[in-house]
Amino acid sequence: SNKNEKKVDYKFYDSNLNVILLQKAKIENRLRNAIENNELRLHYQPQVNLNTGEVIGVEALIRWQNSELGHVSPGEFIPIAEESGLIKPIGKWVLQTACKQNKAWQDAGLPPMNMSVNVSRSQLFNKGFLNTVNQVIERTQLDPKYLELEITESSRNDIEELISMLKQLKEIGFKIALDDFGTGYSSLSILDDIPLDNLKIDRSFIQDISKDKNKTALVKNIINIGNDLNLNIIAEGIETTEQHNFLKQNNCNIGQGYLFERPVSGEKIEQLLNVNKVS
Ligand code: C2E
Ligand code: MG
Ligand code: MG
Ligand code: MG
């Protein structure tokens, strides 16, 4: 009967929820020791000049390999790190590792380039964040202009706090990028309200280029608005030459994506840059 089905559905849902909660608890528990157990790595994805093919920077993307859980993707464990407060030590580890790597490349004689680091909202609004970045810069001796912080769209209620924090970071000399642009629900005025250097168009828009007329029109216009506001536009997730050509033709000058390179180890980046080095 109807009543019975409902009962079964409810139980199914309940046990499913339990499995999810258990898995989250397990991830959090394992993540707690990930730094000291040396389980975290950074991979780097090249940011490419779409007209010349030159690598102008890299984005650091965290990787976690645990003996029991295997590879866990950042999409899965970063939200858990945010909820549990573990994002604070992990975020600091990411900043330290990325800056140290970028400085090491410069010291090895490679042309100086941008290093982009993703920063979670909870990390950015943590009281110790400015201290952390200052400490990292002091320890690694990286010129702050070679570090870019990637943030995501704001909810309306923390916009004032965001502007104030970003101004302080810009004063130190960091660059700021707005990541995943187009996926949130903030108004276009955010582009004028917050101090920005780069605007990253989300992969979901790039995927639909030439497939979806409306999305294609949106991409064109986002690029135009960004260029008018003197922002660099970075297209995320370029996978086809068709997407690449469209972006070039429409004045988007920087991109990332599997068409050029997946996120790879620091050693691999070094090889790539040495091969392409013009001397
Ligand atoms: P994101 O910052 O938007 O990074 C882009 C994601 O798209 C990365 O996934 C990258 O590997 C993937 N990607 C790049 N090019 C392509 C492509 O051509 N096709 C497809 N299908 N995917 C592409 P990843 O590494 O799994 O990271 C997912 C998200 O996790 C990131 O999105 C970022 O929000 C977060 N994340 C990663 N590392 C960190 C970190 O160190 N700290 C913080 N707070 N968040 C991080
Ligand atoms: Mg990013
Ligand atoms: Mg993104
Ligand atoms: Mg994304």
Side-chain angles (χ1 to χ4, degrees):
S1 78
N2 227 351
K3 221 177 172 183
N4 259 336
E5 272 170 36
K6 258 191 186 157
K7 209 172 171 187
V8 171
D9 276 341
Y10 184 75
K11 263 190 170 167
F12 177 72
Y13 176 75
D14 204 22
S15 67
N16 229 5
L17 189 66
N18 261 332
V19 170
I20 293 168
L21 288 176
L22 271 174
Q23 177 71 0
K24 277 179 77 172
K26 201 183 237 178
I27 289 176
E28 182 182 329
N29 193 32
R30 288 287 165 149
L31 197 53
R32 216 163 271 289
N33 301 312
I35 295 179
E36 61 197 67
N37 290 345
N38 198 24
E39 295 172 357
L40 299 178
R41 296 285 179 275
L42 288 185
H43 276 180
Y44 304 91
Q45 186 177 41
Q47 300 174 319
V48 176
N49 178 322
L50 294 180
N51 302 303
T52 63
E54 184 196 2
V55 175
I56 58 148
V58 293
E59 177 179 2
L61 294 155
I62 196 167
R63 298 292 177 256
W64 179 30
Q65 180 77 35
N66 176 265
S67 55
E68 186 196 348
L69 300 168
H71 174 81
V72 188
S73 74
E76 190 167 9
F77 75 81
I78 289 291
I80 296 171
E82 288 169 349
E83 283 169 35
S84 61
L86 287 169
I87 194 66
K88 200 181 165 194
I90 291 172
K92 186 175 179 177
W93 179 88
V94 170
L95 280 164
Q96 171 72 27
T97 306
C99 289
K100 193 174 159 195
Q101 175 67 87
N102 205 16
K103 183 69 165 77
W105 282 330
Q106 293 178 9
D107 290 348
L110 294 170
M113 62 175 182
N114 173 64
M115 170 69 72
S116 292
V117 170
N118 293 284
V119 176
S120 297
R121 187 51 51 101
S122 53
Q123 196 187 346
L124 191 69
F125 286 161
N126 195 286
K127 257 178 47 209
F129 187 66
L130 282 171
N131 263 339
T132 299
V133 291
N134 278 319
Q135 206 178 68
V136 165
I137 287 303
E138 197 183 297
R139 280 193 195 154
T140 61
Q141 291 294 303
L142 179 75
D143 185 332
K145 73 176 177 194
Y146 296 116
L147 181 69
E148 176 165 87
L149 303 170
E150 293 193 0
I151 58 153
T152 47
E153 285 178 57
S154 191
S155 62
R156 233 169 268 20
N157 50 11
D158 61 14
I159 190 85
E160 293 303 327
E161 202 182 351
L162 181 68
I163 292 169
S164 148
M165 176 53 84
L166 296 184
K167 278 187 178 154
Q168 295 177 76
L169 291 166
K170 292 277 296 174
E171 241 157 63
I172 301 173
F174 299 124
K175 299 214 160 55
I176 309 291
L178 186 59
D179 202 356
D180 303 338
F181 184 69
T183 57
Y185 287 93
S186 57
S187 68
L188 278 174
S189 64
I190 190 176
L191 299 179
D192 187 41
D193 291 342
I194 69 175
L196 281 183
D197 300 282
N198 290 338
L199 183 64
K200 301 189 77 171
I201 308 176
D202 193 67
R203 179 163 63 90
S204 58
F205 288 89
I206 307 304
Q207 263 176 341
D208 287 340
I209 284 173
S210 336
K211 283 187 211 148
D212 177 330
K213 225 176 76 200
N214 291 342
K215 283 270 184 70
T216 309
L218 280 172
V219 172
K220 272 192 191 182
N221 285 290
I222 293 171
I223 296 168
N224 285 336
I225 291 169
N227 282 332
D228 283 349
L229 294 173
N230 279 321
L231 302 169
N232 294 308
I233 316 296
I234 305 178
E236 296 192 292
I238 304 172
E239 293 183 351
T240 69
T241 47
E242 193 181 16
Q243 292 161 356
H244 181 196
N245 289 333
F246 173 90
L247 290 161
K248 271 196 291 190
Q249 278 153 21
N250 288 282
N251 304 314
C252 174
N253 301 318
I254 311 172
Q256 293 174 234
Y258 294 172
L259 178 66
F260 309 104
E261 204 67 59
R262 287 179 179 254
V264 292
S265 70
E267 294 81 46
K268 186 81 196 294
I269 291 289
E270 227 164 292
Q271 286 168 16
L272 280 170
L273 293 174
N274 271 317
V275 168
N276 293 329
K277 196 153 84 177
V278 213
S279 45

